[in-house]
Amino acid sequence: TRLFFQACLAQHNDILRAGKLSVNGSILEWEPTSRVDAESSLHSFSAALSDSGAVPPDWIEDLDELTYCILKSLSFQFALMDVLEALRDWFELSFVPTIPSAGMQYA
């Protein structure tokens, strides 16, 4: 358990600054790192995920690993979104640019 949380804090904590995330159509909210330290934010995220009802009951015992997987998967996407938003603003676009990728689909 502690190993997954340590890895989240060391490598994949950038999404914690957001403080909210859409999960299955519902908004998941936690204490962002602008208000609390990263470890407290991570625990807040994990608790919010557990309390959201979006996690199947059988997965709760592995919530630390699930938290790690979510944070890791969002880490690069979060940074990429910042870049895309900066491009939108720089070029004064009315939309966020996309990068076509053959064969990839997101649910």
Side-chain angles (χ1 to χ4, degrees), residues 29-66:
E29 294 187 77
W30 65 92
E31 290 294 327
T33 53
S34 62
R35 287 192 235 157
V36 298
D37 63 89
E39 187 169 355
S40 297
S41 182
L42 177 59
H43 287 290
S44 177
F45 174 85
S46 187
L49 187 60
S50 177
D51 295 342
S52 70
V55 178
D58 292 345
W59 293 12
I60 294 295
E61 68 185 49
D62 297 314
L63 190 62
D64 57 333
E65 188 172 353
L66 177 61

Side-chain angles (χ1 to χ4, degrees), residues 63-75:
L63 190 62
D64 57 333
E65 188 172 353
L66 177 61
T67 298
Y68 171 81
C69 290
I70 291 170
L71 267 60
K72 183 175 181 179
S73 69
L74 293 174
S75 181

